[in-house]
Amino acid sequence: MKDEGRVRLAEPADAQAAPLRYEIDGSVGLVKIDHAISTQGVTFVAGWTSDGSLLVELASASGVTGADLVRTVRDDVASGLRQPATNRHGFVLIATPPPDEPLNICFGQQEARFCLPLTVIENFQLDARISCAPGTFAALSARRVGSRDWRLFLSLLPERETSGLIVEGIIDVAYSSPVEANGFAQGWVTHKPDTLVWIEDDQGRAHDLEEGYRWVRRDVRSQIHHLPGPGQETGFHLRTRFHPEARSIRLAAANKDGSQRLAARPVSHLPFEAKEVVAALAEATTPRHDLPARIRRVDLPVLAAARASEREVWASAEIRERMVGSVPSNPTVSLIVPLYGRVDFIEHQLLEFDRDPAFIQDVEIIYVLDDPDLENPLHFDAHRMQAVSGPGFRWVTTGENRGFSGANNLGASVARGRVLCFMNSDVFPLAPGWAIHLAEVLDRHGDLGMLAPRLIFPNGSIQHVGMVARWRPEWQLFTNHHPSMGMPTSADPSHGLTRVPLVTGACVALPREVFERIGGWDEGYISGDFEDSDLCFRVRDIGRTVGYDPRVELLHLERQSVELTSDDALLKERMTLLNACRYNQHWHEQVREIAE
Amino acid sequence: MTAKHRILTLAHGHPDHTMGGAEVAARDLFLAYRDREDVEDAWLLARANLGAGPRGRISNLRENEFLWEQSLSDLFFMRAQNRHEVTGYFTEFLQFLRPTIVHSHHYFQLGLEHLRAIKRADPSIVTLLTLHEYLAICPNMGLMKSPHGKPCRSGRYFDHIACNPETSPEALWLRKHRFERYFDFVDLFVAPSSFLMERYVEWGIVRQRIVVIENGQPGTPVRGREELDEKRIRNRFGFFGQINEHKGLDVVLRGLASLSETQRQSIVLEVNGANLERQSRALQRTVQELAAPLMREGVLRWRGPYERAELDDRMASVDWVIVPSTWYENSPLVIQEAYARGRPVIASDIGALREKVRHGVWGHLLPPGDAQAWARHIVKVAGDSALWDKLAVQLPTPPGISEAAEACLSAAVSAGAAR
């Protein structure tokens, strides 16, 4: 036996041929190297030691190479040594040593060790892969899913057929944009413990399922028995950034035993318009009570990316402008009214504007057609409606549906007044003078950044006397609340100009200078709600106040208010919830302040 | 010296094309205006369908009478189908005629928009609108009934929301809004009955802007007074006008059918009715099934529709005129026509009929829809010729068409002065 001080080794000292007997300070043990192989610059050494706590290192001429050591359970070794199987006899070393230098493998303890020259072969047999798999998996797990190194280690793992089941699952819904890296996937997956599960496209991009929103799918739990995981969060809803050319995606998993890929499925094209993306996202069902968590994690990033590309297109769209009748040449107020869904409200509004002399010189009317389906009818009906009912107006469109914010901003971009008044098409004045009154109040009170009138329902009851933030504990979100809605106007505590936290966007006036400073309406909201309270916070952010003036009263039909608690109108509800989450994320501190 | 009036009368139909009470009243009034000394010129513009669709064209029918090819695209909102020509041909027509007064007899088939177009063409024109119905108030064809037949007596908007649960309150508001804004261009409303006027006041027309002027009777009617001295049994009853589910003919027939054959042998009912063939199959069947046995017994005489020239004869052959309507009516011409011809009227005790028939003086009022009550009453008065004699001499003299024209014109002049 060769003696090296505290260490004695049996002859020949070759642990690669057969188990090598050693003695350190009189205690005897065995070491064995099963495989020493190298591929693509990575060296793997797999083997076992009778003492599971024995130090194992790789060293080259330039010193110890930083290697990952993974200790594994080796049932075969344990039974041969008559030791408990829980001892981790196995090891896998993984290192990227400098090329073309001879390698040694060292065993021992801190101060007493022995090193053996290592013969590394460039041959990666399946049995070698299997032996190295625990180490490969450890190395894989330590790397970002989808990264270059991750893919390298993945390629070194033995690929299992379904017989050695690691994972089972289905992708229920999958959308991916054909023009950019954006999309989402939903499904369920169940797997063995200590397993990494991901979803990958046919172009080599992959996403760790843990990035996604996960939940317990009770339907899966009741159907799948052969894989463990009571309480396992089998459901996943995941934002993806697959390659735009990806045509199919699949679930895949890896653990210390290898990797497994499930069958690929085609991926649907993510719609271009964010509004359509909302509908696509709604196909992915997750527990209703926990929607905000999912929305923040998945839906909002998907929508933000979609809306960003949509806005790039908007920026270069041609604005078509039509003149109907004659319009004021030098207006003070620009009235901006988005049209969506129907255009017949125009006649009712014009009949009211017709009674107001301000509309001859001082107020210009800009209708923004935000509904491509209605361009034809409006084109033909605009002149007829105007001729029989009231003052001239302009209407503009880009042939797109931009949503409330986008349409309002489009209208503002062609407006000429120094006061911008945004109004819904189902708001109708009840008496002349209202628009000029709003402009005058804004002029008189320099602190005001925006001003809204009182709105009433057809039955004379309150629709809007300012808004407040209301905490919705079921969603853990603040939403907009209309105090005194439905009450007689005598319930309105305000009698003159009042500073309020928030006002509605159904009818609101801003000095153009303020509007431009705050950057207009936030087009990140898809449509429907919270654009107005967002605008209020932008105004407050630059140190201006929000005003409400009950001396101006208009009628608001408001066909349907969106109730977060209603079970129908799922999509509308989803849209509102998406906007609510976005709004709460954006203005978290500020909303809390005004709520208190 | 004041300038003479130039009056354009507008109607939703011309009697040459469509025969109805309001069409006739409008044309009669036009003729009466034309005959006046203080009228320089008068015209009638009546909506017509000449088979080419609502082209919006205006054509000359005969001297001073014109037709307008117009229609409605939306009955609920009373929206003209050819809105283009409201400010096109129609406005050119006004500019050509230069009327000082425009008296509209309807907006049905014409659309509400023409009311504004008149004022836009020339704000000095005094505009009158005769309300022949409750269309503005009641979205259910102005019947003042819910779609399920429940009567809505009030003119108040909220009551009609309750009456029409299938229509959204927002749509009803929009409808009312349209009517109100276009009605803003009317200087004076003319109501042929107080009942109708009160409903419109409830609805929102201020009292100062609406007057009651009864439709006038043209020409000198054959009063039939010569028969008054004739002592005979007054057992002949006449129904005149449209037959539909709101006119109550089926009520009376049901009542007669419930009588014993001997009881009904004492009376004769003459039905001078029109348009049954346009009604629902159910109503046609009901009326036909009830009428057939009565006709076989000689109790019922089915005389069918009549031309205006035949009215004197048709009325002369009956003693009493019945108006068994189950809706409020406004001012049925037939009542004035009956009075002008010395015929007492038995009418339903409902709506405008209450003021048109003074109970026990000009005739009788009976519970609407009560078949038994109608049958009993008809048999009772048939045997009482003294009652008939008493009523016949008390009948009012209905206003002539020239009186109506006088009333309208002086109201228009005051309305113009009050502006």
Side-chain angles (χ1 to χ4, degrees), chain B residues 60-96:
Chain B
N60 214 333
L61 174 69
R62 62 175 73 89
E63 199 185 354
N64 285 26
E65 292 186 53
F66 298 85
L67 298 177
W68 188 16
E69 294 170 76
Q70 183 58 283
S71 184
L72 292 177
S73 68
D74 188 324
L75 201 61
F76 184 78
F77 285 113
M78 290 291 155
R79 191 176 283 136
Q81 188 149 20
N82 193 328
R83 284 149 71 97
H84 193 63
E85 297 304 350
V86 172
T87 51
Y89 286 135
F90 178 66
T91 299
E92 289 169 27
F93 180 68
L94 292 169
Q95 284 159 351
F96 167 66

mmCIF file of all heavy atoms in Angstrom, chain B residues 60-96:
data_model
loop_
_atom_site.group_PDB
_atom_site.id
_atom_site.type_symbol
_atom_site.label_atom_id
_atom_site.label_comp_id
_atom_site.label_asym_id
_atom_site.label_seq_id
_atom_site.Cartn_x
_atom_site.Cartn_y
_atom_site.Cartn_z
ATOM 1 N N ASN B 60 -96.838 68.274 -57.556
ATOM 2 C CA ASN B 60 -98.100 68.993 -57.565
ATOM 3 C C ASN B 60 -99.240 68.045 -57.882
ATOM 4 O O ASN B 60 -99.230 67.379 -58.919
ATOM 5 C CB ASN B 60 -98.020 70.069 -58.649
ATOM 6 C CG ASN B 60 -98.795 71.290 -58.249
ATOM 7 O OD1 ASN B 60 -99.748 71.184 -57.475
ATOM 8 N ND2 ASN B 60 -98.394 72.445 -58.747
ATOM 9 N N LEU B 61 -100.207 67.954 -56.981
ATOM 10 C CA LEU B 61 -101.338 67.052 -57.202
ATOM 11 C C LEU B 61 -102.427 67.791 -57.978
ATOM 12 O O LEU B 61 -102.967 67.305 -58.965
ATOM 13 C CB LEU B 61 -101.878 66.560 -55.853
ATOM 14 C CG LEU B 61 -103.132 65.716 -55.887
ATOM 15 C CD1 LEU B 61 -102.860 64.354 -56.522
ATOM 16 C CD2 LEU B 61 -103.688 65.528 -54.484
ATOM 17 N N ARG B 62 -102.766 68.958 -57.510
ATOM 18 C CA ARG B 62 -103.670 69.875 -58.222
ATOM 19 C C ARG B 62 -103.360 71.244 -57.663
ATOM 20 O O ARG B 62 -102.435 71.375 -56.852
ATOM 21 C CB ARG B 62 -105.137 69.465 -58.031
ATOM 22 C CG ARG B 62 -105.650 69.478 -56.617
ATOM 23 C CD ARG B 62 -107.141 69.169 -56.565
ATOM 24 N NE ARG B 62 -107.427 67.772 -56.823
ATOM 25 C CZ ARG B 62 -107.477 66.843 -55.871
ATOM 26 N NH1 ARG B 62 -107.237 67.160 -54.603
ATOM 27 N NH2 ARG B 62 -107.771 65.597 -56.158
ATOM 28 N N GLU B 63 -104.085 72.222 -58.109
ATOM 29 C CA GLU B 63 -103.704 73.568 -57.707
ATOM 30 C C GLU B 63 -103.629 73.700 -56.188
ATOM 31 O O GLU B 63 -104.571 73.356 -55.479
ATOM 32 C CB GLU B 63 -104.701 74.591 -58.256
ATOM 33 C CG GLU B 63 -104.102 75.970 -58.260
ATOM 34 C CD GLU B 63 -105.110 77.029 -58.676
ATOM 35 O OE1 GLU B 63 -106.232 76.666 -59.060
ATOM 36 O OE2 GLU B 63 -104.763 78.219 -58.602
ATOM 37 N N ASN B 64 -102.472 74.159 -55.713
ATOM 38 C CA ASN B 64 -102.220 74.390 -54.288
ATOM 39 C C ASN B 64 -102.198 73.122 -53.432
ATOM 40 O O ASN B 64 -102.158 73.189 -52.215
ATOM 41 C CB ASN B 64 -103.214 75.394 -53.681
ATOM 42 C CG ASN B 64 -102.877 76.807 -54.112
ATOM 43 O OD1 ASN B 64 -102.278 77.016 -55.173
ATOM 44 N ND2 ASN B 64 -103.237 77.784 -53.302
ATOM 45 N N GLU B 65 -102.260 71.971 -54.068
ATOM 46 C CA GLU B 65 -102.162 70.727 -53.299
ATOM 47 C C GLU B 65 -100.952 69.947 -53.789
ATOM 48 O O GLU B 65 -100.809 69.691 -54.976
ATOM 49 C CB GLU B 65 -103.440 69.899 -53.431
ATOM 50 C CG GLU B 65 -104.626 70.572 -52.747
ATOM 51 C CD GLU B 65 -105.869 69.700 -52.755
ATOM 52 O OE1 GLU B 65 -105.790 68.549 -52.312
ATOM 53 O OE2 GLU B 65 -106.901 70.184 -53.241
ATOM 54 N N PHE B 66 -100.121 69.593 -52.823
ATOM 55 C CA PHE B 66 -98.864 68.919 -53.155
ATOM 56 C C PHE B 66 -98.725 67.606 -52.377
ATOM 57 O O PHE B 66 -99.307 67.448 -51.303
ATOM 58 C CB PHE B 66 -97.674 69.823 -52.796
ATOM 59 C CG PHE B 66 -97.649 71.124 -53.553
ATOM 60 C CD1 PHE B 66 -98.372 72.225 -53.096
ATOM 61 C CD2 PHE B 66 -96.922 71.232 -54.730
ATOM 62 C CE1 PHE B 66 -98.352 73.412 -53.797
ATOM 63 C CE2 PHE B 66 -96.886 72.423 -55.428
ATOM 64 C CZ PHE B 66 -97.611 73.522 -54.965
ATOM 65 N N LEU B 67 -97.925 66.732 -52.950
ATOM 66 C CA LEU B 67 -97.641 65.474 -52.257
ATOM 67 C C LEU B 67 -96.149 65.407 -51.957
ATOM 68 O O LEU B 67 -95.322 65.866 -52.751
ATOM 69 C CB LEU B 67 -98.039 64.281 -53.134
ATOM 70 C CG LEU B 67 -99.521 64.192 -53.494
ATOM 71 C CD1 LEU B 67 -99.765 63.000 -54.423
ATOM 72 C CD2 LEU B 67 -100.392 64.078 -52.237
ATOM 73 N N TRP B 68 -95.808 64.828 -50.833
ATOM 74 C CA TRP B 68 -94.406 64.668 -50.444
ATOM 75 C C TRP B 68 -94.136 63.181 -50.264
ATOM 76 O O TRP B 68 -94.776 62.526 -49.447
ATOM 77 C CB TRP B 68 -94.128 65.436 -49.146
ATOM 78 C CG TRP B 68 -92.664 65.490 -48.771
ATOM 79 C CD1 TRP B 68 -91.612 65.209 -49.572
ATOM 80 C CD2 TRP B 68 -92.135 65.855 -47.497
ATOM 81 N NE1 TRP B 68 -90.439 65.387 -48.883
ATOM 82 C CE2 TRP B 68 -90.731 65.778 -47.607
ATOM 83 C CE3 TRP B 68 -92.703 66.246 -46.279
ATOM 84 C CZ2 TRP B 68 -89.882 66.066 -46.538
ATOM 85 C CZ3 TRP B 68 -91.860 66.538 -45.215
ATOM 86 C CH2 TRP B 68 -90.454 66.457 -45.358
ATOM 87 N N GLU B 69 -93.205 62.665 -51.041
ATOM 88 C CA GLU B 69 -92.849 61.244 -50.926
ATOM 89 C C GLU B 69 -91.884 61.065 -49.762
ATOM 90 O O GLU B 69 -90.673 61.154 -49.923
ATOM 91 C CB GLU B 69 -92.226 60.751 -52.236
ATOM 92 C CG GLU B 69 -93.210 60.759 -53.393
ATOM 93 C CD GLU B 69 -92.499 60.490 -54.706
ATOM 94 O OE1 GLU B 69 -92.154 59.326 -54.958
ATOM 95 O OE2 GLU B 69 -92.274 61.453 -55.444
ATOM 96 N N GLN B 70 -92.470 60.852 -48.635
ATOM 97 C CA GLN B 70 -91.683 60.727 -47.418
ATOM 98 C C GLN B 70 -92.209 59.534 -46.619
ATOM 99 O O GLN B 70 -93.295 59.014 -46.905
ATOM 100 C CB GLN B 70 -91.792 62.041 -46.611
ATOM 101 C CG GLN B 70 -90.983 62.120 -45.336
ATOM 102 C CD GLN B 70 -89.492 61.911 -45.519
ATOM 103 O OE1 GLN B 70 -89.025 60.778 -45.695
ATOM 104 N NE2 GLN B 70 -88.712 62.993 -45.487
ATOM 105 N N SER B 71 -91.443 59.104 -45.661
ATOM 106 C CA SER B 71 -91.884 57.989 -44.820
ATOM 107 C C SER B 71 -91.069 58.023 -43.534
ATOM 108 O O SER B 71 -90.249 58.914 -43.330
ATOM 109 C CB SER B 71 -91.665 56.670 -45.567
ATOM 110 O OG SER B 71 -92.175 55.612 -44.802
ATOM 111 N N LEU B 72 -91.303 57.030 -42.695
ATOM 112 C CA LEU B 72 -90.535 56.944 -41.452
ATOM 113 C C LEU B 72 -89.530 55.805 -41.552
ATOM 114 O O LEU B 72 -89.832 54.744 -42.087
ATOM 115 C CB LEU B 72 -91.458 56.666 -40.258
ATOM 116 C CG LEU B 72 -92.428 57.773 -39.847
ATOM 117 C CD1 LEU B 72 -93.308 57.271 -38.700
ATOM 118 C CD2 LEU B 72 -91.675 59.026 -39.414
ATOM 119 N N SER B 73 -88.338 56.045 -41.020
ATOM 120 C CA SER B 73 -87.388 54.940 -40.936
ATOM 121 C C SER B 73 -87.486 54.297 -39.571
ATOM 122 O O SER B 73 -87.026 53.196 -39.356
ATOM 123 C CB SER B 73 -85.960 55.437 -41.159
ATOM 124 O OG SER B 73 -85.542 56.259 -40.085
ATOM 125 N N ASP B 74 -88.076 55.013 -38.646
ATOM 126 C CA ASP B 74 -88.127 54.504 -37.285
ATOM 127 C C ASP B 74 -89.388 55.014 -36.611
ATOM 128 O O ASP B 74 -89.523 56.208 -36.341
ATOM 129 C CB ASP B 74 -86.875 54.982 -36.535
ATOM 130 C CG ASP B 74 -86.744 54.335 -35.173
ATOM 131 O OD1 ASP B 74 -87.780 54.112 -34.522
ATOM 132 O OD2 ASP B 74 -85.600 54.066 -34.772
ATOM 133 N N LEU B 75 -90.296 54.100 -36.362
ATOM 134 C CA LEU B 75 -91.584 54.453 -35.798
ATOM 135 C C LEU B 75 -91.434 54.884 -34.344
ATOM 136 O O LEU B 75 -92.137 55.770 -33.861
ATOM 137 C CB LEU B 75 -92.490 53.222 -35.885
ATOM 138 C CG LEU B 75 -93.984 53.443 -35.823
ATOM 139 C CD1 LEU B 75 -94.430 54.302 -36.984
ATOM 140 C CD2 LEU B 75 -94.704 52.101 -35.850
ATOM 141 N N PHE B 76 -90.525 54.237 -33.642
ATOM 142 C CA PHE B 76 -90.328 54.521 -32.220
ATOM 143 C C PHE B 76 -89.841 55.963 -32.031
ATOM 144 O O PHE B 76 -90.335 56.681 -31.187
ATOM 145 C CB PHE B 76 -89.317 53.527 -31.654
ATOM 146 C CG PHE B 76 -89.090 53.630 -30.171
ATOM 147 C CD1 PHE B 76 -90.012 53.096 -29.278
ATOM 148 C CD2 PHE B 76 -87.952 54.231 -29.673
ATOM 149 C CE1 PHE B 76 -89.793 53.178 -27.914
ATOM 150 C CE2 PHE B 76 -87.721 54.314 -28.312
ATOM 151 C CZ PHE B 76 -88.648 53.784 -27.426
ATOM 152 N N PHE B 77 -88.871 56.346 -32.861
ATOM 153 C CA PHE B 77 -88.301 57.682 -32.728
ATOM 154 C C PHE B 77 -88.934 58.686 -33.688
ATOM 155 O O PHE B 77 -88.543 59.834 -33.728
ATOM 156 C CB PHE B 77 -86.788 57.631 -32.970
ATOM 157 C CG PHE B 77 -86.016 57.043 -31.826
ATOM 158 C CD1 PHE B 77 -85.352 55.838 -31.958
ATOM 159 C CD2 PHE B 77 -85.962 57.701 -30.606
ATOM 160 C CE1 PHE B 77 -84.634 55.295 -30.897
ATOM 161 C CE2 PHE B 77 -85.249 57.175 -29.536
ATOM 162 C CZ PHE B 77 -84.575 55.972 -29.687
ATOM 163 N N MET B 78 -89.884 58.260 -34.515
ATOM 164 C CA MET B 78 -90.521 59.131 -35.507
ATOM 165 C C MET B 78 -89.459 59.824 -36.358
ATOM 166 O O MET B 78 -89.431 61.046 -36.518
ATOM 167 C CB MET B 78 -91.402 60.183 -34.828
ATOM 168 C CG MET B 78 -92.634 59.601 -34.199
ATOM 169 S SD MET B 78 -93.780 58.997 -35.458
ATOM 170 C CE MET B 78 -94.659 57.765 -34.491
ATOM 171 N N ARG B 79 -88.555 59.019 -36.867
ATOM 172 C CA ARG B 79 -87.450 59.543 -37.653
ATOM 173 C C ARG B 79 -87.827 59.454 -39.132
ATOM 174 O O ARG B 79 -88.263 58.392 -39.596
ATOM 175 C CB ARG B 79 -86.206 58.711 -37.363
ATOM 176 C CG ARG B 79 -84.930 59.283 -37.908
ATOM 177 C CD ARG B 79 -83.741 58.435 -37.486
ATOM 178 N NE ARG B 79 -83.373 58.673 -36.099
ATOM 179 C CZ ARG B 79 -83.066 57.719 -35.232
ATOM 180 N NH1 ARG B 79 -83.106 56.457 -35.604
ATOM 181 N NH2 ARG B 79 -82.733 58.012 -33.997
ATOM 182 N N ALA B 80 -87.689 60.558 -39.840
ATOM 183 C CA ALA B 80 -88.010 60.567 -41.271
ATOM 184 C C ALA B 80 -87.060 59.628 -42.003
ATOM 185 O O ALA B 80 -85.882 59.528 -41.652
ATOM 186 C CB ALA B 80 -87.878 61.972 -41.830
ATOM 187 N N GLN B 81 -87.580 58.950 -42.990
ATOM 188 C CA GLN B 81 -86.708 58.046 -43.734
ATOM 189 C C GLN B 81 -85.772 58.831 -44.645
ATOM 190 O O GLN B 81 -84.599 58.543 -44.715
ATOM 191 C CB GLN B 81 -87.541 57.065 -44.553
ATOM 192 C CG GLN B 81 -86.661 55.996 -45.171
ATOM 193 C CD GLN B 81 -87.384 54.684 -45.322
ATOM 194 O OE1 GLN B 81 -88.612 54.632 -45.324
ATOM 195 N NE2 GLN B 81 -86.643 53.605 -45.447
ATOM 196 N N ASN B 82 -86.318 59.818 -45.311
ATOM 197 C CA ASN B 82 -85.451 60.631 -46.162
ATOM 198 C C ASN B 82 -85.149 61.946 -45.457
ATOM 199 O O ASN B 82 -85.809 62.964 -45.654
ATOM 200 C CB ASN B 82 -86.101 60.889 -47.515
ATOM 201 C CG ASN B 82 -85.094 61.437 -48.499
ATOM 202 O OD1 ASN B 82 -84.174 62.151 -48.103
ATOM 203 N ND2 ASN B 82 -85.259 61.098 -49.758
ATOM 204 N N ARG B 83 -84.113 61.887 -44.629
ATOM 205 C CA ARG B 83 -83.750 63.078 -43.864
ATOM 206 C C ARG B 83 -83.045 64.094 -44.754
ATOM 207 O O ARG B 83 -83.072 65.291 -44.490
ATOM 208 C CB ARG B 83 -82.860 62.684 -42.682
ATOM 209 C CG ARG B 83 -83.672 62.055 -41.557
ATOM 210 C CD ARG B 83 -82.896 61.034 -40.774
ATOM 211 N NE ARG B 83 -81.852 61.565 -39.933
ATOM 212 C CZ ARG B 83 -81.978 61.802 -38.634
ATOM 213 N NH1 ARG B 83 -83.137 61.627 -38.046
ATOM 214 N NH2 ARG B 83 -80.971 62.221 -37.926
ATOM 215 N N HIS B 84 -82.439 63.572 -45.772
ATOM 216 C CA HIS B 84 -81.724 64.435 -46.687
ATOM 217 C C HIS B 84 -82.654 65.512 -47.262
ATOM 218 O O HIS B 84 -82.324 66.691 -47.295
ATOM 219 C CB HIS B 84 -81.157 63.567 -47.812
ATOM 220 C CG HIS B 84 -80.153 64.265 -48.641
ATOM 221 N ND1 HIS B 84 -78.958 64.729 -48.126
ATOM 222 C CD2 HIS B 84 -80.155 64.586 -49.945
ATOM 223 C CE1 HIS B 84 -78.280 65.300 -49.091
ATOM 224 N NE2 HIS B 84 -78.975 65.237 -50.200
ATOM 225 N N GLU B 85 -83.834 65.069 -47.696
ATOM 226 C CA GLU B 85 -84.749 66.005 -48.363
ATOM 227 C C GLU B 85 -85.571 66.843 -47.392
ATOM 228 O O GLU B 85 -86.319 67.715 -47.816
ATOM 229 C CB GLU B 85 -85.648 65.265 -49.349
ATOM 230 C CG GLU B 85 -84.890 64.586 -50.494
ATOM 231 C CD GLU B 85 -83.992 65.530 -51.309
ATOM 232 O OE1 GLU B 85 -84.080 66.762 -51.135
ATOM 233 O OE2 GLU B 85 -83.176 65.014 -52.105
ATOM 234 N N VAL B 86 -85.429 66.564 -46.081
ATOM 235 C CA VAL B 86 -86.081 67.444 -45.111
ATOM 236 C C VAL B 86 -85.446 68.828 -45.216
ATOM 237 O O VAL B 86 -86.113 69.858 -45.179
ATOM 238 C CB VAL B 86 -85.955 66.886 -43.674
ATOM 239 C CG1 VAL B 86 -86.468 67.894 -42.655
ATOM 240 C CG2 VAL B 86 -86.727 65.575 -43.544
ATOM 241 N N THR B 87 -84.123 68.803 -45.384
ATOM 242 C CA THR B 87 -83.436 70.087 -45.556
ATOM 243 C C THR B 87 -83.168 70.360 -47.045
ATOM 244 O O THR B 87 -82.567 71.365 -47.386
ATOM 245 C CB THR B 87 -82.106 70.111 -44.783
ATOM 246 O OG1 THR B 87 -81.363 68.952 -45.122
ATOM 247 C CG2 THR B 87 -82.365 70.130 -43.290
ATOM 248 N N GLY B 88 -83.619 69.445 -47.889
ATOM 249 C CA GLY B 88 -83.469 69.627 -49.332
ATOM 250 C C GLY B 88 -84.768 70.129 -49.922
ATOM 251 O O GLY B 88 -85.134 71.294 -49.766
ATOM 252 N N TYR B 89 -85.482 69.209 -50.583
ATOM 253 C CA TYR B 89 -86.719 69.606 -51.273
ATOM 254 C C TYR B 89 -87.722 70.319 -50.373
ATOM 255 O O TYR B 89 -88.352 71.285 -50.773
ATOM 256 C CB TYR B 89 -87.389 68.382 -51.908
ATOM 257 C CG TYR B 89 -86.686 67.887 -53.150
ATOM 258 C CD1 TYR B 89 -86.455 66.528 -53.333
ATOM 259 C CD2 TYR B 89 -86.263 68.772 -54.145
ATOM 260 C CE1 TYR B 89 -85.828 66.061 -54.472
ATOM 261 C CE2 TYR B 89 -85.635 68.321 -55.282
ATOM 262 C CZ TYR B 89 -85.412 66.953 -55.443
ATOM 263 O OH TYR B 89 -84.790 66.514 -56.562
ATOM 264 N N PHE B 90 -87.865 69.812 -49.159
ATOM 265 C CA PHE B 90 -88.877 70.402 -48.275
ATOM 266 C C PHE B 90 -88.529 71.860 -47.975
ATOM 267 O O PHE B 90 -89.382 72.748 -48.014
ATOM 268 C CB PHE B 90 -89.003 69.583 -46.989
ATOM 269 C CG PHE B 90 -89.985 70.151 -45.997
ATOM 270 C CD1 PHE B 90 -91.341 70.205 -46.285
ATOM 271 C CD2 PHE B 90 -89.550 70.649 -44.771
ATOM 272 C CE1 PHE B 90 -92.249 70.740 -45.374
ATOM 273 C CE2 PHE B 90 -90.439 71.184 -43.860
ATOM 274 C CZ PHE B 90 -91.794 71.230 -44.156
ATOM 275 N N THR B 91 -87.260 72.092 -47.683
ATOM 276 C CA THR B 91 -86.828 73.456 -47.381
ATOM 277 C C THR B 91 -86.939 74.348 -48.625
ATOM 278 O O THR B 91 -87.391 75.498 -48.545
ATOM 279 C CB THR B 91 -85.390 73.432 -46.828
ATOM 280 O OG1 THR B 91 -85.401 72.661 -45.631
ATOM 281 C CG2 THR B 91 -84.884 74.825 -46.515
ATOM 282 N N GLU B 92 -86.574 73.803 -49.764
ATOM 283 C CA GLU B 92 -86.725 74.580 -51.013
ATOM 284 C C GLU B 92 -88.192 74.933 -51.261
ATOM 285 O O GLU B 92 -88.524 76.038 -51.695
ATOM 286 C CB GLU B 92 -86.206 73.766 -52.211
ATOM 287 C CG GLU B 92 -84.698 73.631 -52.224
ATOM 288 C CD GLU B 92 -84.234 72.602 -53.253
ATOM 289 O OE1 GLU B 92 -84.953 72.394 -54.256
ATOM 290 O OE2 GLU B 92 -83.166 72.007 -53.037
ATOM 291 N N PHE B 93 -89.055 73.976 -50.946
ATOM 292 C CA PHE B 93 -90.501 74.172 -51.099
ATOM 293 C C PHE B 93 -90.959 75.340 -50.227
ATOM 294 O O PHE B 93 -91.700 76.223 -50.677
ATOM 295 C CB PHE B 93 -91.189 72.860 -50.705
ATOM 296 C CG PHE B 93 -92.682 72.858 -50.797
ATOM 297 C CD1 PHE B 93 -93.327 72.927 -52.026
ATOM 298 C CD2 PHE B 93 -93.458 72.752 -49.646
ATOM 299 C CE1 PHE B 93 -94.712 72.899 -52.103
ATOM 300 C CE2 PHE B 93 -94.842 72.718 -49.730
ATOM 301 C CZ PHE B 93 -95.467 72.795 -50.960
ATOM 302 N N LEU B 94 -90.485 75.359 -48.983
ATOM 303 C CA LEU B 94 -90.852 76.446 -48.075
ATOM 304 C C LEU B 94 -90.323 77.777 -48.598
ATOM 305 O O LEU B 94 -91.016 78.804 -48.544
ATOM 306 C CB LEU B 94 -90.267 76.188 -46.679
ATOM 307 C CG LEU B 94 -90.845 75.010 -45.894
ATOM 308 C CD1 LEU B 94 -89.982 74.736 -44.660
ATOM 309 C CD2 LEU B 94 -92.279 75.304 -45.464
ATOM 310 N N GLN B 95 -89.098 77.742 -49.122
ATOM 311 C CA GLN B 95 -88.509 78.983 -49.621
ATOM 312 C C GLN B 95 -89.269 79.498 -50.837
ATOM 313 O O GLN B 95 -89.382 80.704 -51.061
ATOM 314 C CB GLN B 95 -87.027 78.761 -49.954
ATOM 315 C CG GLN B 95 -86.188 78.701 -48.682
ATOM 316 C CD GLN B 95 -84.851 78.008 -48.873
ATOM 317 O OE1 GLN B 95 -84.597 77.410 -49.919
ATOM 318 N NE2 GLN B 95 -84.013 78.066 -47.855
ATOM 319 N N PHE B 96 -89.821 78.579 -51.577
ATOM 320 C CA PHE B 96 -90.604 78.947 -52.752
ATOM 321 C C PHE B 96 -91.958 79.526 -52.354
ATOM 322 O O PHE B 96 -92.390 80.566 -52.841
ATOM 323 C CB PHE B 96 -90.753 77.728 -53.655
ATOM 324 C CG PHE B 96 -91.779 77.884 -54.732
ATOM 325 C CD1 PHE B 96 -91.591 78.812 -55.754
ATOM 326 C CD2 PHE B 96 -92.927 77.106 -54.736
ATOM 327 C CE1 PHE B 96 -92.546 78.958 -56.749
ATOM 328 C CE2 PHE B 96 -93.879 77.260 -55.717
ATOM 329 C CZ PHE B 96 -93.696 78.183 -56.740
#
